[in-house]
Amino acid sequence: MEITIRNLSKHYRTEGGSIAALDRINLQIPANKIFTLLGPSGCGKTTLLRCIVGLEIPDEGEITIGDEVVFSSEKKISRPPDKRDLGMVFQTYAIWPHMNVFENVAYPLQAQKKPKDEIARRVAKTLHFVQLDGFENRPATKLSGGQQQRVALARALVAEPKVILFDEPLSNLDAKLREETRKELRRFLTELAITAVYVTHDRLEALSLSDNVAVMKSGKIVEVGTPWEIYFETDRRFVADFIGRVNFIEGSIARMENGSVIVDSGIGTIVCDRKKNLPVNSPVTLGIRPEFIKTFYENPGAAENTFRGRIETLVFTGDVWEAEVKSGTETLVLRIDPTFPVKTGDDIFLHLDRRHCKLLFN
Ligand code: ATP
């Protein structure tokens, strides 16, 4: 079910006045996809999620779920949470420790006073779906973190909501379990073809789990796109920086040629693909991700974007050497093949891929 958010604002009173947790948000959340709200702490993700659920009343705007208006300041509509047909999974698993797995998952159906045989059937089906068959009688407290999170998911799914909302549900799991649960969650949600709205400040989670990502900053939506678009195609400095490692190189436009922008910078003249026209001499910030800088001991002989550099620091992370390389007045972060015999102080050549030298704007 599609969710449409129009002009949504929410202010909180603070000692010094008021802060805009949401500032005129407009958003179209597509049906049956995983949609992630991503942004730094305090940018308003949870507030937006709570407004969709109905746990928070916005000051202004409208929220439509499917074709039903669940909130409208203008029409004075505000449906309570239990009338919005939503499921929610929180950061803390919020499963009841004094109940076993069956009782936890059955709870929403019991609250709806469903017949016993229907409850048994639906709970069994949902536990099978989250791969917890046979766990019915296990006390909730005797489960691992990942299993508890699956119980929480089963409890949200059992009522067959049209939309399911997740507030950082994996943040209490250790790194390995988080990765496994993320993959599982993507599989569950894709199979169910349910509308999922997912809040996280973890960029890897957003990239690997989502069909679409909305990046938020200071109560506003800054950019919406597929993970691929957000990672590779953004021309916003904030988004490029938030979604992954990026080197910023300050420079100025030397000239524009057919299909190219030539930038003078502290490491030399850099040629980038031309996306828009900019006046000569205007200051620019160029962004390039570490993976698009190649290293060589001998001059690779490329006509453009080859520079000399010296390795200042090296950190071995197993899959790569993470290196800081000084080139001209800039220090660039890049990744070197771990089998490459490098050491600190080595003089090397760098080659920057022109297709991935992006001009970034505020
Ligand atoms: P996090 O990732 O840390 O959970 P977030 O992006 O979810 O952050 P919100 O929790 O939505 O951010 O908060 C947005 C802003 O509103 C923050 O500045 C926060 O301090 C403020 N805020 C949130 N809830 C309240 C409240 N009940 N009273 C006052 N201010 C609040």
PDB file of all heavy atoms in Angstrom, residues 12-13 19 21 40-47 168 201, ligand 1:
ATOM      1  N   TYR A  12       8.863  20.526  18.277  1.00  0.00           N
ATOM      2  CA  TYR A  12       8.865  20.223  19.707  1.00  0.00           C
ATOM      3  C   TYR A  12       9.292  21.475  20.456  1.00  0.00           C
ATOM      4  O   TYR A  12      10.190  22.182  20.007  1.00  0.00           O
ATOM      5  CB  TYR A  12       9.866  19.106  20.035  1.00  0.00           C
ATOM      6  CG  TYR A  12       9.459  17.741  19.543  1.00  0.00           C
ATOM      7  CD1 TYR A  12      10.169  17.107  18.527  1.00  0.00           C
ATOM      8  CD2 TYR A  12       8.373  17.073  20.111  1.00  0.00           C
ATOM      9  CE1 TYR A  12       9.802  15.846  18.088  1.00  0.00           C
ATOM     10  CE2 TYR A  12       8.002  15.816  19.674  1.00  0.00           C
ATOM     11  CZ  TYR A  12       8.715  15.209  18.670  1.00  0.00           C
ATOM     12  OH  TYR A  12       8.354  13.968  18.230  1.00  0.00           O
ATOM     13  N   ARG A  13       8.648  21.675  21.603  1.00  0.00           N
ATOM     14  CA  ARG A  13       9.061  22.792  22.453  1.00  0.00           C
ATOM     15  C   ARG A  13      10.361  22.443  23.166  1.00  0.00           C
ATOM     16  O   ARG A  13      10.520  21.321  23.635  1.00  0.00           O
ATOM     17  CB  ARG A  13       7.996  23.066  23.519  1.00  0.00           C
ATOM     18  CG  ARG A  13       6.793  23.728  22.963  1.00  0.00           C
ATOM     19  CD  ARG A  13       5.982  24.463  24.013  1.00  0.00           C
ATOM     20  NE  ARG A  13       4.779  24.987  23.363  1.00  0.00           N
ATOM     21  CZ  ARG A  13       4.778  25.966  22.489  1.00  0.00           C
ATOM     22  NH1 ARG A  13       5.912  26.571  22.165  1.00  0.00           N
ATOM     23  NH2 ARG A  13       3.649  26.365  21.935  1.00  0.00           N
ATOM     24  N   ILE A  19      11.933  23.386  18.223  1.00  0.00           N
ATOM     25  CA  ILE A  19      12.757  22.877  17.133  1.00  0.00           C
ATOM     26  C   ILE A  19      11.862  22.142  16.121  1.00  0.00           C
ATOM     27  O   ILE A  19      10.872  21.511  16.502  1.00  0.00           O
ATOM     28  CB  ILE A  19      13.916  21.968  17.608  1.00  0.00           C
ATOM     29  CG1 ILE A  19      13.409  20.562  17.892  1.00  0.00           C
ATOM     30  CG2 ILE A  19      14.650  22.463  18.818  1.00  0.00           C
ATOM     31  CD1 ILE A  19      14.400  19.578  17.384  1.00  0.00           C
ATOM     32  N   ALA A  21      11.377  19.226  14.213  1.00  0.00           N
ATOM     33  CA  ALA A  21      11.828  17.837  14.021  1.00  0.00           C
ATOM     34  C   ALA A  21      11.501  17.396  12.590  1.00  0.00           C
ATOM     35  O   ALA A  21      12.246  16.641  11.978  1.00  0.00           O
ATOM     36  CB  ALA A  21      11.162  16.918  15.029  1.00  0.00           C
ATOM     37  N   PRO A  40      21.550  11.240   9.924  1.00  0.00           N
ATOM     38  CA  PRO A  40      22.270  11.285  11.193  1.00  0.00           C
ATOM     39  C   PRO A  40      21.321  11.409  12.380  1.00  0.00           C
ATOM     40  O   PRO A  40      20.138  11.751  12.210  1.00  0.00           O
ATOM     41  CB  PRO A  40      23.138  12.544  11.055  1.00  0.00           C
ATOM     42  CG  PRO A  40      22.498  13.361   9.997  1.00  0.00           C
ATOM     43  CD  PRO A  40      21.762  12.427   9.095  1.00  0.00           C
ATOM     44  N   SER A  41      21.846  11.145  13.542  1.00  0.00           N
ATOM     45  CA  SER A  41      21.065  11.229  14.767  1.00  0.00           C
ATOM     46  C   SER A  41      20.403  12.602  14.883  1.00  0.00           C
ATOM     47  O   SER A  41      21.035  13.621  14.642  1.00  0.00           O
ATOM     48  CB  SER A  41      22.014  10.990  15.943  1.00  0.00           C
ATOM     49  OG  SER A  41      21.287  10.957  17.112  1.00  0.00           O
ATOM     50  N   GLY A  42      19.108  12.589  15.213  1.00  0.00           N
ATOM     51  CA  GLY A  42      18.392  13.846  15.436  1.00  0.00           C
ATOM     52  C   GLY A  42      17.820  14.475  14.185  1.00  0.00           C
ATOM     53  O   GLY A  42      17.256  15.571  14.237  1.00  0.00           O
ATOM     54  N   CYS A  43      17.901  13.801  13.021  1.00  0.00           N
ATOM     55  CA  CYS A  43      17.423  14.434  11.774  1.00  0.00           C
ATOM     56  C   CYS A  43      15.911  14.307  11.604  1.00  0.00           C
ATOM     57  O   CYS A  43      15.344  14.905  10.689  1.00  0.00           O
ATOM     58  CB  CYS A  43      18.140  13.860  10.553  1.00  0.00           C
ATOM     59  SG  CYS A  43      17.678  12.170  10.187  1.00  0.00           S
ATOM     60  N   GLY A  44      15.254  13.503  12.452  1.00  0.00           N
ATOM     61  CA  GLY A  44      13.792  13.433  12.398  1.00  0.00           C
ATOM     62  C   GLY A  44      13.223  12.106  11.901  1.00  0.00           C
ATOM     63  O   GLY A  44      12.005  11.979  11.738  1.00  0.00           O
ATOM     64  N   LYS A  45      14.067  11.093  11.696  1.00  0.00           N
ATOM     65  CA  LYS A  45      13.604   9.800  11.162  1.00  0.00           C
ATOM     66  C   LYS A  45      12.522   9.173  12.051  1.00  0.00           C
ATOM     67  O   LYS A  45      11.457   8.792  11.563  1.00  0.00           O
ATOM     68  CB  LYS A  45      14.765   8.794  11.066  1.00  0.00           C
ATOM     69  CG  LYS A  45      15.993   9.295  10.372  1.00  0.00           C
ATOM     70  CD  LYS A  45      17.107   8.272  10.405  1.00  0.00           C
ATOM     71  CE  LYS A  45      17.730   8.001  11.758  1.00  0.00           C
ATOM     72  NZ  LYS A  45      18.581   9.055  12.307  1.00  0.00           N
ATOM     73  N   THR A  46      12.840   9.068  13.347  1.00  0.00           N
ATOM     74  CA  THR A  46      11.895   8.411  14.253  1.00  0.00           C
ATOM     75  C   THR A  46      10.611   9.221  14.367  1.00  0.00           C
ATOM     76  O   THR A  46       9.512   8.652  14.397  1.00  0.00           O
ATOM     77  CB  THR A  46      12.554   8.210  15.642  1.00  0.00           C
ATOM     78  OG1 THR A  46      13.699   7.385  15.446  1.00  0.00           O
ATOM     79  CG2 THR A  46      11.621   7.544  16.622  1.00  0.00           C
ATOM     80  N   THR A  47      10.751  10.528  14.384  1.00  0.00           N
ATOM     81  CA  THR A  47       9.547  11.367  14.471  1.00  0.00           C
ATOM     82  C   THR A  47       8.645  11.120  13.264  1.00  0.00           C
ATOM     83  O   THR A  47       7.420  10.979  13.412  1.00  0.00           O
ATOM     84  CB  THR A  47       9.941  12.864  14.556  1.00  0.00           C
ATOM     85  OG1 THR A  47      10.815  13.036  15.656  1.00  0.00           O
ATOM     86  CG2 THR A  47       8.736  13.761  14.719  1.00  0.00           C
ATOM     87  N   GLU A 168      15.048   1.028  13.582  1.00  0.00           N
ATOM     88  CA  GLU A 168      16.387   0.501  13.880  1.00  0.00           C
ATOM     89  C   GLU A 168      16.324  -0.879  14.529  1.00  0.00           C
ATOM     90  O   GLU A 168      16.869  -1.082  15.625  1.00  0.00           O
ATOM     91  CB  GLU A 168      17.139   1.472  14.802  1.00  0.00           C
ATOM     92  CG  GLU A 168      17.100   2.892  14.279  1.00  0.00           C
ATOM     93  CD  GLU A 168      18.431   3.594  14.334  1.00  0.00           C
ATOM     94  OE1 GLU A 168      19.443   2.915  14.521  1.00  0.00           O
ATOM     95  OE2 GLU A 168      18.446   4.812  14.158  1.00  0.00           O
ATOM     96  N   HIS A 201      20.327   4.707  10.912  1.00  0.00           N
ATOM     97  CA  HIS A 201      21.375   5.683  10.606  1.00  0.00           C
ATOM     98  C   HIS A 201      22.590   4.946  10.051  1.00  0.00           C
ATOM     99  O   HIS A 201      23.648   5.538   9.853  1.00  0.00           O
ATOM    100  CB  HIS A 201      21.728   6.523  11.841  1.00  0.00           C
ATOM    101  CG  HIS A 201      22.252   5.707  12.972  1.00  0.00           C
ATOM    102  ND1 HIS A 201      21.446   5.289  14.003  1.00  0.00           N
ATOM    103  CD2 HIS A 201      23.465   5.201  13.216  1.00  0.00           C
ATOM    104  CE1 HIS A 201      22.159   4.564  14.844  1.00  0.00           C
ATOM    105  NE2 HIS A 201      23.395   4.494  14.386  1.00  0.00           N
TER     106      HIS A 201
HETATM  107  P1  ATP B   1      18.137   9.045  16.245  1.00  0.00           P
HETATM  108  O1  ATP B   1      18.805   8.389  15.071  1.00  0.00           O
HETATM  109  O2  ATP B   1      19.136   9.563  17.246  1.00  0.00           O
HETATM  110  O3  ATP B   1      17.046   8.239  16.852  1.00  0.00           O
HETATM  111  P2  ATP B   1      16.226  10.635  14.717  1.00  0.00           P
HETATM  112  O4  ATP B   1      16.709  11.009  13.372  1.00  0.00           O
HETATM  113  O5  ATP B   1      15.282   9.491  14.807  1.00  0.00           O
HETATM  114  O6  ATP B   1      17.469  10.413  15.693  1.00  0.00           O
HETATM  115  P3  ATP B   1      14.210  12.118  16.142  1.00  0.00           P
HETATM  116  O7  ATP B   1      14.201  11.196  17.327  1.00  0.00           O
HETATM  117  O8  ATP B   1      13.078  12.059  15.219  1.00  0.00           O
HETATM  118  O9  ATP B   1      15.575  11.943  15.327  1.00  0.00           O
HETATM  119  O10 ATP B   1      14.361  13.599  16.696  1.00  0.00           O
HETATM  120  C1  ATP B   1      14.352  14.742  15.862  1.00  0.00           C
HETATM  121  C2  ATP B   1      14.585  15.982  16.713  1.00  0.00           C
HETATM  122  O11 ATP B   1      13.481  16.185  17.583  1.00  0.00           O
HETATM  123  C3  ATP B   1      15.804  15.875  17.615  1.00  0.00           C
HETATM  124  O12 ATP B   1      16.418  17.135  17.682  1.00  0.00           O
HETATM  125  C4  ATP B   1      15.231  15.485  18.953  1.00  0.00           C
HETATM  126  O13 ATP B   1      16.047  15.936  20.008  1.00  0.00           O
HETATM  127  C5  ATP B   1      13.886  16.183  18.934  1.00  0.00           C
HETATM  128  N1  ATP B   1      12.858  15.444  19.703  1.00  0.00           N
HETATM  129  C6  ATP B   1      12.405  14.208  19.450  1.00  0.00           C
HETATM  130  N2  ATP B   1      11.438  13.844  20.316  1.00  0.00           N
HETATM  131  C7  ATP B   1      11.282  14.905  21.162  1.00  0.00           C
HETATM  132  C8  ATP B   1      10.438  15.170  22.272  1.00  0.00           C
HETATM  133  N3  ATP B   1       9.540  14.277  22.687  1.00  0.00           N
HETATM  134  N4  ATP B   1      10.561  16.380  22.868  1.00  0.00           N
HETATM  135  C9  ATP B   1      11.453  17.295  22.442  1.00  0.00           C
HETATM  136  N5  ATP B   1      12.276  17.117  21.394  1.00  0.00           N
HETATM  137  C10 ATP B   1      12.195  15.943  20.755  1.00  0.00           C
END
